[in-house]
Amino acid sequence: MKFKDSKYVEKMSEITNELYKHGWDERNGGNVSLRLTQDEVDQFDDLDKTLRNIPIKFDATPLAGQYFLVTGTGRYFKNVHNYPERDTGLVRITDEGNSVDLLWGFNDGGEPTSEFPSHLMTHINRQKVDSNQRVVMHCHPTNLVALSFTHELDEGSVSRLLWKMQAESLVVFPEGIGIIPYMTPGTNEIGQATADKMNEFRVVMWPHHGIFACGDSMDEVYGLIETVEKACMIYTAIKSQGGDILQSITDDDLRDLAKSFNVTPNPNFLSMQPINN
């Protein structure tokens, strides 16, 4: 079986197209990486040689030998489903950790996304938390970015706000949402700050820019981002209707939700004093 016909390439094409259609990955904004296991790679008969070696600006030694299907730098998500072998690539982290071996894709000379070091830093930290987590996704959800301009950038306040916008929020991201300061994208500094937050959270806001999220599958991470953005969209709609909240989900409601769905909300956030929005 050829890798281009695999379910992994198919899912990457589907998800990147959905992200684009939502308006979260304009132009060449956004990137996705999926970790594959050795057994998953071994089932394909066209991944037995290195096409070329690509340097990376990060020491990824802790991930040496691991495989990642990743979107390319400068690539438009609206094109991935038509040109997956050009706009994505399967790479293996070398033993030295400072480069990757390209096994498939990037057939026009392309390279992994400029945010690949940030992805790898998150993969390193999340594997320590949950070895099943294998996807990192970055995009620019409109209402989440807007919220970062108008709301205090406090993790507890933002998390509680989004929990109270819809019942699904607490169930999908009970640990809340992490927030880093505004930082220049494409740098190792923003990658490390994000990875540090990923020790506690599966979703991190990049103020005035976008979101970083991780999980077990592309569907799960897409759904996580979708849920966060829906909560932000509801808040945007409330503000556009005048901003007066006459009734809402209470803290006791949140506790009942947590009990019913067997999730553990971040206790530091649930016990905070009520906020005025």
Side-chain angles (χ1 to χ4, degrees):
M1 182 179 179
K2 301 299 183 184
F3 188 68
K4 69 177 182 179
D5 300 318
S6 71
K7 64 181 180 181
Y8 311 109
V9 172
E10 180 182 3
K11 179 56 72 172
M12 180 69 83
S13 299
E14 173 195 335
I15 290 295
T16 51
N17 194 42
E18 288 299 316
L19 288 165
Y20 171 74
K21 288 193 295 185
H22 265 304
W24 301 343
D25 290 279
E26 69 290 339
R27 201 172 180 270
N28 63 323
N31 28 80
V32 182
S33 63
L34 164 68
R35 175 170 56 89
L36 274 68
T37 67
Q38 185 69 57
D39 288 343
E40 288 168 339
V41 170
D42 286 345
Q43 64 184 296
F44 302 101
D45 54 17
D46 59 340
L47 304 178
D48 56 349
K49 65 178 181 179
T50 299
L51 303 178
R52 53 191 166 93
N53 180 265
I54 304 172
I56 56 175
K57 296 178 180 179
F58 171 64
D59 180 6
T61 304
L63 300 174
Q66 294 191 21
Y67 300 85
F68 295 91
L69 178 62
V70 59
T71 53
T73 184
R75 303 311 166 105
Y76 290 28
F77 271 22
K78 70 183 182 70
N79 293 330
V80 174
H81 70 293
N82 287 326
Y83 306 101
E85 199 164 357
R86 182 193 70 185
D87 295 338
T88 65
L90 179 68
V91 300
R92 178 180 56 222
I93 309 296
T94 61
D95 291 341
E96 296 76 20
N98 59 1
S99 67
V100 297
D101 290 331
L102 178 65
L103 305 179
W104 176 90
F106 299 144
N107 60 8
D108 65 346
E111 298 184 358
T113 169
S114 61
E115 300 286 5
F116 196 39
S118 294
H119 281 242
L120 296 177
M121 292 176 201
T122 286
H123 279 291
I124 289 171
N125 281 12
R126 288 309 299 183
Q127 285 183 36
K128 296 174 185 176
V129 176
D130 184 347
S131 60
N132 291 321
Q133 297 203 341
R134 56 195 296 184
V135 174
V136 173
M137 195 173 293
H138 168 59
C139 61
H140 309 150
T142 306
N143 292 279
L144 175 93
V145 174
L147 184 71
S148 74
F149 286 93
T150 63
H151 197 280
E152 180 184 2
L153 295 178
D154 173 78
E155 291 170 343
S157 295
V158 171
S159 296
R160 283 171 57 84
L161 172 68
L162 300 186
W163 285 348
K164 291 182 177 235
M165 288 299 101
Q166 57 178 354
E168 288 78 5
S169 290
L170 184 77
V171 177
V172 175
F173 52 101
E175 70 274 31
I177 181 169
I179 303 175
I180 63 172
Y182 176 80
M183 302 175 72
T184 302
T187 64
N188 285 8
E189 288 74 20
I190 195 172
Q192 190 58 61
T194 303
D196 290 344
K197 288 293 182 183
M198 288 291 182
N199 290 319
E200 304 175 60
F201 305 97
R202 290 172 300 128
V203 56
V204 176
M205 175 194 284
W206 285 11
H208 324 319
H209 182 146
I211 198 169
F212 233 69
C214 62
D216 293 5
S217 69
M218 281 193 272
D219 279 338
E220 181 198 7
V221 182
Y222 176 84
L224 172 59
I225 295 172
E226 196 172 32
T227 305
V228 171
E229 172 65 359
K230 181 61 176 288
C232 292
M233 187 184 304
I234 294 169
Y235 183 65
T236 299
I238 291 170
K239 286 297 187 180
S240 72
Q241 293 177 12
D244 294 329
I245 298 177
L246 302 182
Q247 52 273 321
S248 71
I249 296 172
T250 67
D251 283 11
D252 285 341
D253 292 333
L254 292 176
R255 293 185 183 95
D256 289 341
L257 271 169
K259 183 177 180 180
S260 295
F261 286 89
N262 195 30
V263 298
T264 303
N266 189 319
N268 295 323
F269 299 165
L270 190 55
S271 62
M272 288 177 61
Q273 290 297 314
I275 53 176
N276 240 338
N277 294 300

